[in-house]
């Protein structure tokens, strides 16, 4: 496991530097955590990929637009600072006045809208360095609840190459209240 200080946490629960025999692989971390035997609380990642796989269905139609006002990574009960974070569109086509950068600007009065007509839609958040994290939350935008994501995945990575699944929601009952919190969700 990548420790909160950038070192590795060995299976003997001691911190090591660099690569070492006897350290937890990312796959082992997840398996141990889900099995209730993980010795460390939380994870540490630098990159997060949020992939939206479905929007809310209203009547018989599904919006071809996706929107959200804010996305936040959490450590315990607190949001992690996004001041050093950057965001990149993986498969999102931005709408001119509502860029994806609005997802991490700390302001629920702004929003991002994706105008591409196909799903899935993804963004990758680069925190700038490894951060301790235990969950996340996001906020609905100011209008059109039909544009709300209702199914998504969140993945974490230390190198922006290998990602592990942190959470999946399918047909989640997202509030229709505008500029409202969705979550918080803890990593399993």
């Amino acid at each position: 496991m990548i420790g909160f200080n950038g070192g590795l946490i060995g299976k003997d629960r001691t911190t090591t530097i660099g690569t070492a025999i006897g350290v937890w692989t990312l796959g082992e971390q997840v398996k141990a955590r889900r099995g209730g035997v993980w010795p460390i609380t939380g994870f540490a990642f630098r990159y997060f990929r949020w992939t939206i796989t479905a929007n809310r269905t209203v009547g018989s139609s599904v919006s071809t637009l996706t929107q959200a006002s804010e996305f936040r990574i959490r450590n315990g009960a607190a949001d992690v600072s996004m001041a050093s974070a950057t965001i990149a569109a993986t498969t999102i086509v931005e709408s001119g006045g509502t860029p994806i950068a609005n997802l991490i600007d700390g302001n629920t009065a702004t929003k991002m809208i994706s105008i591409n007509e196909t799903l899935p839609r993804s963004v990758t958040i680069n925190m700038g360095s490894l951060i301790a994290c235990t969950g996340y939350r996001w906020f609905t935008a100011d209008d059109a609840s039909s544009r709300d994501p209702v199914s998504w995945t969140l993945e974490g990575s230390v190198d922006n190459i290998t990602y592990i699944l942190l959470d999946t929601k399918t047909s989640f009952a997202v509030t229709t209240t505008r500029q409202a919190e969705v979550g918080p969700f803890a990593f399993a």
Side-chain angles (χ1 to χ4, degrees):
M1 146 133 207
I2 304 297
F4 302 140
N5 64 357
L8 298 171
I9 305 296
K11 289 183 181 177
D12 62 357
R13 300 181 188 190
T14 60
T15 302
T16 63
I17 300 299
T19 59
I21 296 172
V23 297
W24 296 83
T25 66
L26 288 178
E28 287 174 328
Q29 288 178 53
V30 173
K31 198 178 285 186
R33 175 92 191 245
R34 289 185 177 148
V37 297
W38 181 239
I40 310 297
T41 301
F43 293 97
F45 294 105
R46 177 176 178 167
Y47 301 93
F48 295 88
R49 183 168 52 207
W50 188 33
T51 302
I52 298 161
T53 55
N55 285 348
R56 182 189 318 276
T57 301
V58 177
S60 61
S61 66
V62 176
S63 178
T64 58
L65 305 176
T66 298
Q67 69 179 14
S69 68
E70 198 66 25
F71 189 91
R72 298 183 183 158
I73 301 297
R74 298 181 57 79
N75 188 22
D79 290 338
V80 173
S81 171
M82 304 293 268
S84 298
T86 58
I87 190 166
T90 311
T91 57
I92 281 185
V93 178
E94 296 178 288
S95 174
T98 54
I100 61 168
N102 288 352
L103 270 178
I104 60 170
D105 67 359
N107 184 355
T108 59
T110 63
K111 65 182 174 185
M112 77 86 189
I113 295 179
S114 174
I115 60 174
N116 57 323
E117 296 186 12
T118 59
L119 291 165
R121 298 175 176 136
S122 299
V123 296
T124 300
I125 300 168
N126 177 350
M127 298 300 289
S129 62
L130 289 172
I131 56 134
C133 55
T134 58
Y136 69 102
R137 63 187 180 142
W138 62 275
F139 291 79
T140 60
D142 61 344
D143 63 357
S145 67
S146 62
R147 300 175 186 168
D148 290 343
V150 295
S151 298
W152 63 86
T153 61
L154 183 66
E155 300 166 287
S157 175
V158 296
D159 59 8
N160 202 22
I161 297 169
T162 303
Y163 279 84
I164 65 166
L165 183 64
L166 299 174
D167 195 29
T168 300
K169 298 290 183 237
T170 304
S171 300
F172 187 80
V174 172
T175 181
T176 56
T177 303
R178 303 296 73 209
Q179 296 173 311
E181 177 186 57
V182 180
F185 303 104
F187 300 145

